[in-house]
Amino acid sequence: MGKKKKFIVNAVIAIVVYAVMMVLLNQGLLNRQMKSLITPICTNVMLAVSLCLIVGFLGELTLGHAGFMSLGAYAGALVTMNLDAPPYISLTLAVIVGGCVAALAGLLIGVPVLRLKGDYLAIVTLGFGEIIRSVVNSMKITGGARGLSGIEKMTNYNHFTVVYILTLIVIIVVSNLVNSRHGRAVCAIRDNYIAAEACGIPVSKFKIMAFVISAFLAGMAGVVYAHNIGILKPANFDYNTSIEILVMVVLGGMGSIRGSIIAAVILTALPELLRDAADYRMLIYSIVLIAMMLFRNSKFNAALIEKKNEKTIAKFQKEGE
């Protein structure tokens, strides 16, 4: 499929999804439970797509994504709570500030930590996320263990258009980055670190770039999350949250933006949809997880991924000539 045709198809899908959701909301066809899922689904899509940049395309395992999300959430909430401005202006500033605070943390942790690889990187980023949670838990400005309350709900289902636009921005940024020369360099590092370095790719530069962009987008998701629930507690950003986001990326397919989106939607909606089956909810949820994992790791998908990876460095070398 050509780039122009692919762009048109994706644009049509985005417009159709928005139109369908607006009809459902305006006509009152969704119950309260389904309405409450809209923003969490969009938030998890943003988190999964942003983490996919590091785990899927850069090939590094990180377990501290909830830390970046929490920094964005608290920074954005403090902006809107202390800024006397119209809602959309204050929310826009909150998204920018929340993203920048998370990106700064990503830079500070990325420079020393990305020298590590594999399990060591995962352990260090996991510790980083817990450090952030402990710091937030001890600060008065964030409300400590009691939490930060009184946040205006500017991203609930009544403001679906704003949430949807922010979600599309995250998807477009990651998609365009991956399909750019910089993105191919990132994928080349994932495929073969030594070969990429031998080709003249500044590995450390691109690693930090991917880490900072991913952190910024996670901070944006944190702002959306904060202004949906209205209260923030450090316990909401523990390592379990990071693992849940990672599960979405893995189940969606490593290096698949579309897969991350689908997995985020399913894994966010499924627990709520199974709430009536209280006795069997976790059993059904676990079976679905296993089924999704088996499907994503079929020989067909593995062959496609391998074929795609073989072309990555070749494309980068051809563009450099």
Side-chain angles (χ1 to χ4, degrees):
M1 186 184 294
K3 290 184 178 179
K4 182 177 288 188
K5 187 176 180 181
K6 187 176 181 180
F7 171 78
I8 293 174
V9 170
N10 291 334
V12 170
I13 292 174
I15 293 171
V16 169
V17 170
Y18 176 74
V20 170
M21 290 303 303
M22 291 303 295
V23 169
L24 293 175
L25 288 171
N26 293 332
Q27 298 299 321
L29 300 176
L30 296 177
N31 57 31
R32 187 172 182 179
Q33 181 187 19
M34 296 303 296
K35 287 180 180 179
S36 67
L37 284 174
I38 293 175
T39 299
I41 286 175
C42 290
T43 302
N44 284 337
V45 167
M46 296 169 71
L47 290 169
V49 172
S50 62
L51 183 59
C52 186
L53 180 60
I54 297 179
V55 177
F57 295 106
L58 184 61
E60 299 290 358
L61 180 61
T62 172
L63 295 175
H65 218 53
F68 299 130
M69 178 189 176
S70 66
L71 288 174
Y74 277 101
L78 290 172
V79 168
T80 55
M81 291 175 67
N82 295 282
L83 183 65
D84 186 13
Y88 289 117
I89 294 178
S90 61
L91 181 61
T92 301
L93 291 175
V95 169
I96 295 173
V97 172
C100 289
V101 170
L104 179 60
L107 178 63
L108 294 176
I109 191 67
V111 172
V113 164
L114 286 179
R115 298 176 183 272
L116 304 174
K117 291 180 68 67
D119 298 339
Y120 299 103
L121 177 61
I123 293 171
V124 172
T125 52
L126 176 62
F128 164 71
E130 290 302 301
I131 289 173
I132 290 179
R133 189 167 66 89
S134 298
V135 171
V136 170
N137 198 36
S138 62
M139 294 178 65
K140 292 183 178 180
I141 192 173
T142 60
R146 294 180 303 173
L148 185 65
S149 58
I151 305 170
E152 187 176 354
K153 295 184 178 181
M154 294 186 286
T155 58
N156 57 17
Y157 62 85
N158 291 321
H159 305 88
F160 172 71
T161 300
V162 176
V163 177
Y164 192 71
I165 290 173
L166 292 174
T167 305
L168 286 180
I169 289 174
V170 172
I171 296 172
I172 292 171
V173 167
V174 175
S175 180
N176 287 341
L177 175 63
V178 169
N179 292 316
S180 69
R181 176 175 170 80
H182 291 322
R184 282 188 280 274
V186 170
C187 293
I189 295 171
R190 173 200 63 192
D191 296 338
N192 195 316
Y193 180 96
I194 297 175
E197 197 167 32
C199 291
I201 298 175
V203 174
S204 298
K205 171 187 172 182
F206 283 109
K207 276 189 171 185
I208 294 172
M209 178 198 72
F211 211 73
V212 169
I213 293 175
S214 178
F216 181 91
L217 300 178
M220 288 178 56
V223 175
V224 174
Y225 173 83
H227 292 84
N228 175 51
I229 63 174
I231 182 171
L232 294 174
K233 294 184 179 180
N236 295 340
F237 306 101
D238 60 2
Y239 66 90
N240 288 319
T241 305
S242 294
I243 293 175
E244 287 173 4
I245 303 168
L246 179 62
V247 168
M248 295 174 188
V249 176
V250 174
L251 290 180
M254 303 291 279
S256 173
I257 296 176
R258 184 174 298 177
S260 296
I261 295 171
I262 295 173
V265 172
I266 293 175
L267 295 184
T268 306
L270 193 60
E272 291 298 325
L273 296 177
L274 295 175
R275 188 171 292 277
D276 292 335
D279 295 335
Y280 303 100
R281 185 174 67 160
M282 293 311 298
L283 175 62
I284 299 173
Y285 183 72
S286 301
I287 292 174
V288 171
L289 288 181
I290 294 172
M292 289 180 66
M293 180 62 76
L294 292 175
F295 174 76
R296 289 303 306 177
N297 285 278
S298 65
K299 292 182 179 180
F300 176 73
N301 287 301
L304 287 179
I305 294 172
E306 183 178 356
K307 184 177 180 181
K308 183 178 178 181
N309 291 346
E310 288 175 354
K311 296 180 179 179
T312 304
I313 293 179
K315 285 183 179 180
F316 187 85
Q317 288 177 321
K318 186 177 180 180
E319 289 183 357
E321 294 177 354

